[in-house]
Amino acid sequence: MSYGTAGPLRSVTLDDVRGAQKMLSGVARATAMEGSRHLSQLVGAPVHLKCENLQRTGSFKLRGAYVRIAGLLPEERAAGVVAASAGNHAQGVALASSLLGVHATVFMPQGAPLPKVSATREYGAEVRLHGQVVDETLAAAEEYAAETGAVFIHPFDHPDIIAGQGTVGLEILEQCPEVRTVVVGVGGGGLAAGIAVAVKALRPDVRIVGVQAEGAACYPPSLAAGRPVSLDSPATVADGIKVGRPGEVPFGIVGELVDEVRTVSEDQLSAALLLCLERAKLVVEPAGAAPVAALLAAPDGFEGPVVAVLSGGNVDPLLMQRVLRHGMSAQGRYLAVRLRLTDRPGALATLLGALSVVDANVLDVSHVRTDPRLGLTEAEVELHLETKGPAHCAEVGQALRDAGYTVID
């Protein structure tokens, strides 16, 4: 469906995007496009992955940040720039500023992953940790800009940012001229808007599908209302698209040029990240996996050839571990089960023997013998098992019950 024109006419043109592409020559990589046999079989048409996770700084954000900062007046550059981000935008601004000889101050939440904080510093920015959530960090950055005169570099709500991100769309058309559908993750909307400007100007027949996490889907209600609507408390593991309100500039473009915005669940995001790692051999963050999640959720709903934009690969190792485990659980390949047994010598060995019969691989065992909830002769065991799918999970549970164990939900 098309949502029609929302807000003012778009302020970014194809010429703007082409100008940004010239400006980014020798700065941003023309990232690879990889075919996916597995996704192609699911969709029933060729599916290609646009690998912005392999971009410098690990995401598409460098494109827009560089174009925005390069366009500043000399006196603005002299005042420096400031940004607020939990990761990808921070690194893009840091590297762009370093390349252009501009001092950058980046505010990041106090709980930002250490690898992202370290990378931002290594790219040359002064990092200040402030606030527990991005909204608090954003307020601190805007206050700093007001006090010092530094130029605030918004992550998505500026025409130059959108023009820079739109260069991804030009590359898609160059690398896959036969494309029929482009699927792209949506947070504030800068990337989707930029791609839509470039692609629709040259190939109006190409369908643009945006994807948001269910817990941070600010665009569907905003498009329905005809104006940006704020979410009270966006929540998703995909922090790269965890935005509570669309940007004013990208909102008008998305409303006019993006054909549809879909949502995906946390389970689908986790499964998509796992698929990218296992099948495509690509490290992708949850936000970057959103387009793949949409393909997995409704493989019959896309006309091919399809290009799915993997927007970034900056994922904290601890988060990666949790998300992968969640993805395996969603696919029935990981099972956590608690049960009660009689506390006597050999009881645990007998339990493990019962699991070996049904070919369940034990990854971890937690054995509790002293707890107020337990009877005098009881013990509680929590098992983490590697399984082979939903049917195997059901078989394991039934085998435990048949052996006389009390399984605790």
Side-chain angles (χ1 to χ4, degrees):
M1 62 178 289
S2 173
Y3 294 99
T5 301
L9 293 176
R10 64 185 185 273
S11 56
V12 182
T13 68
L14 177 61
D15 285 342
D16 295 327
V17 180
R18 283 176 165 159
Q21 188 177 48
K22 292 179 181 178
M23 190 178 295
L24 288 168
S25 177
V27 175
R29 295 171 182 154
T31 52
M33 185 174 289
E34 301 289 342
S36 171
R37 181 180 301 175
H38 179 73
L39 289 173
S40 297
Q41 290 174 343
L42 285 177
V43 173
V47 174
H48 306 280
L49 305 175
K50 177 60 173 168
C51 300
E52 281 297 288
N53 59 310
L54 302 180
Q55 183 57 263
R56 296 178 70 179
T57 76
S59 88
F60 70 96
K61 290 288 190 178
L62 171 65
R63 297 173 183 262
Y66 187 91
V67 173
R68 173 76 173 101
I69 297 170
L72 295 178
L73 298 172
E75 56 269 27
E76 291 175 320
R77 291 197 190 193
V81 299
V82 60
S85 168
N88 288 346
H89 181 58
Q91 294 174 68
V93 168
L95 178 57
S97 299
S98 177
L99 293 172
L100 291 165
V102 177
H103 177 74
T105 302
V106 177
F107 285 78
M108 304 182 75
Q110 292 179 356
L114 289 178
K116 294 185 178 182
V117 174
S118 298
T120 303
R121 286 189 173 126
E122 289 172 6
Y123 285 128
E126 175 188 347
V127 174
R128 299 192 181 190
L129 301 178
H130 182 91
Q132 299 299 321
V133 296
V134 175
D135 285 344
E136 295 174 354
T137 308
L138 181 62
E142 291 176 331
E143 182 179 351
Y144 176 89
E147 291 175 352
T148 65
V151 179
F152 179 67
I153 306 299
H154 199 284
F156 49 81
D157 202 9
H158 192 280
D160 289 348
I161 294 285
I162 294 170
Q165 321 306 28
T167 59
V168 176
L170 294 181
E171 289 177 18
I172 288 172
L173 294 182
E174 292 166 1
Q175 294 169 316
C176 184
E178 69 277 15
V179 62
R180 297 293 299 169
T181 306
V182 176
V183 191
V184 55
V186 179
L191 178 62
I195 288 175
V197 167
V199 172
K200 287 291 190 178
L202 295 170
R203 287 280 308 281
D205 59 303
V206 173
R207 187 171 179 81
I208 309 293
V209 178
V211 184
Q212 293 205 287
E214 286 179 354
C218 59
Y219 264 90
S222 297
L223 291 167
R227 57 180 174 78
V229 174
S230 298
L231 301 180
D232 290 334
S233 53
T236 174
V237 69
D239 59 352
I241 53 175
K242 189 171 71 174
V243 176
R245 188 178 188 276
E248 296 285 348
V249 180
F251 177 74
I253 298 172
V254 170
E256 182 181 357
L257 297 179
V258 172
D259 297 281
E260 182 182 3
V261 176
R262 301 187 180 192
T263 63
V264 291
S265 69
E266 299 298 284
D267 283 353
Q268 289 163 346
L269 285 167
S270 299
L273 188 147
L274 180 62
L275 183 144
C276 288
L277 186 63
E278 288 189 326
R279 296 301 186 100
K281 315 306 178 188
L282 291 169
V283 175
V284 180
E285 62 189 272
V292 175
L295 295 177
L296 294 177
D300 296 332
F302 299 88
E303 181 183 0
V306 177
V307 172
V309 181
L310 307 182
S311 59
N314 292 317
V315 56
D316 179 68
L318 294 177
L319 175 62
M320 171 73 88
Q321 184 180 34
R322 293 198 300 271
V323 173
L324 289 178
R325 182 168 290 187
H326 188 81
M328 291 178 68
S329 179
Q331 293 185 348
R333 295 169 51 193
Y334 179 88
L335 178 64
V337 59
R338 287 190 303 133
L339 48 84
R340 299 275 175 86
L341 48 76
T342 302
D343 188 14
R344 62 170 183 266
L348 183 58
T350 301
L351 168 62
L352 298 179
L355 291 170
S356 69
V357 172
V358 289
D359 201 24
N361 185 30
V362 179
L363 301 175
D364 190 30
V365 178
S366 176
H367 192 197
V368 178
R369 303 176 66 187
T370 305
D371 191 287
R373 299 170 301 162
L374 300 174
L376 186 62
T377 62
E378 285 185 319
E380 185 175 291
V381 176
E382 182 174 346
L383 299 161
H384 293 193
L385 309 172
E386 182 183 9
T387 48
K388 302 175 183 178
H392 190 214
C393 288
E395 181 186 356
V396 170
Q398 189 59 52
L400 291 172
R401 288 186 286 271
D402 290 346
Y405 294 103
T406 301
V407 179
I408 304 169
D409 294 330

